[in-house]
């Protein structure tokens, strides 16, 4: 049996709509490219129904929903989503996301033979899991492992092979816990070492979450030694 990580790249319209409508702060954007199309879709949805928009992106409290205050809004929600999917502003969002999904698929397939060997060597893990990867708009930030084999992903290519590096990052969250120390080690494996082996260069300086940089800096002497002599047992390294 062929043991490998298998990614099923998907676009779920409801998820794509909610993620796009929810991305309204400047920190939600990974790029200013196509920002006019994003804002145009958000404005269209807002004008269509403010209450449905707010319900979709979680602006109402549980108390308001349970109390029945939003009964009419909930009743119209499916129709609201159906109208959005048919709209010209959403078709632009969908088209760019389709192009990005294919870009991610091709990049992942091209890099998989090399990167899977690197990750296997650095971790010692059996890389045999399956994931559905729900792709969102590339100008908006999205990277999360939701559990149960589901990953949400979307981001501008800040550097070459960005999608490959950060898909591996999310995959490793299925093998390790979410403590700061383990998250920092995932970043050393993917954001730093895998990125270096794919693109060249050195680290530090670090990429990734700023709050994890001090942990990575403290780990660097042991990490360098691990790269020389300790391949294949990342859990032992963590302990």
């Amino acid at each position: 049996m062929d043991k490998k990580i298998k990614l099923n790249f998907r676009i779920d319209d409801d998820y794509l709509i909610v993620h796009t409508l929810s991305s309204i702060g400047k920190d939600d954007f990974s790029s200013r490219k196509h920002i006019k199309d994003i804002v145009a879709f958000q404005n269209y949805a807002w004008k269509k129904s403010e209450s449905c928009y707010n319900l979709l992106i979680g602006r109402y409290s549980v108390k308001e929903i349970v109390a029945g205050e939003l009964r009419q809004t909930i009743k119209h929600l499916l129709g609201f989503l159906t109208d959005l999917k048919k709209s010209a502003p959403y078709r632009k969002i969908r088209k760019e996301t389709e192009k990005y999904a294919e870009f991610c698929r091709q990049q992942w397939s091209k890099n998989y033979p090399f990167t899977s060997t690197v990750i296997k060597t650095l971790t010692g893990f059996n890389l045999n899991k399956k994931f559905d990867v729900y792709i969102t708009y590339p100008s908006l930030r999205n990277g999360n492992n939701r559990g149960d084999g589901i990953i949400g992903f979307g981001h501008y290519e800040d550097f070459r092979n960005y999608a490959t590096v950060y898909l591996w990052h999310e995959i490793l969250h299925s093998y390790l816990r979410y403590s700061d120390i383990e998250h920092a080690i995932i970043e050393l494996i993917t954001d730093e070492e895998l990125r270096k082996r794919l693109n060249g260069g050195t680290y530090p300086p670090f990429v990734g979450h700023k709050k994890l940089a001090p942990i990575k800096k403290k780990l660097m002497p042991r990490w360098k030694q691990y790269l020389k002599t300790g391949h294949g047992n990342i859990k032992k390294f963590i302990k």
Side-chain angles (χ1 to χ4, degrees), residues 170-218:
E170 297 306 330
I171 287 166
L172 288 187
H173 275 302
S174 292
Y175 289 85
L176 297 173
R177 295 176 297 179
Y178 274 84
S179 67
D180 283 350
I181 186 73
E182 295 194 29
H183 198 174
I185 289 170
I186 287 174
E187 287 200 355
L188 285 173
I189 295 167
T190 58
D191 304 33
E192 313 298 354
E193 188 65 22
L194 181 62
R195 174 177 58 88
K196 186 186 85 168
R197 296 194 191 190
L198 280 168
N199 297 341
T202 60
Y203 63 91
F206 299 120
V207 299
H209 292 86
K210 290 182 180 180
K211 74 171 186 176
L212 298 178
I215 300 174
K216 290 192 287 186
K217 182 179 179 180
K218 192 171 184 178

Side-chain angles (χ1 to χ4, degrees), residues 121-122 197 221-233 236-237:
T121 300
L122 291 178
R197 296 194 191 190
R222 293 183 181 184
W223 177 245
K224 288 178 181 178
Q225 187 64 29
Y226 178 78
L227 293 177
K228 292 178 181 178
T229 63
H231 287 194
N233 194 339
K236 182 178 179 180
F237 175 77

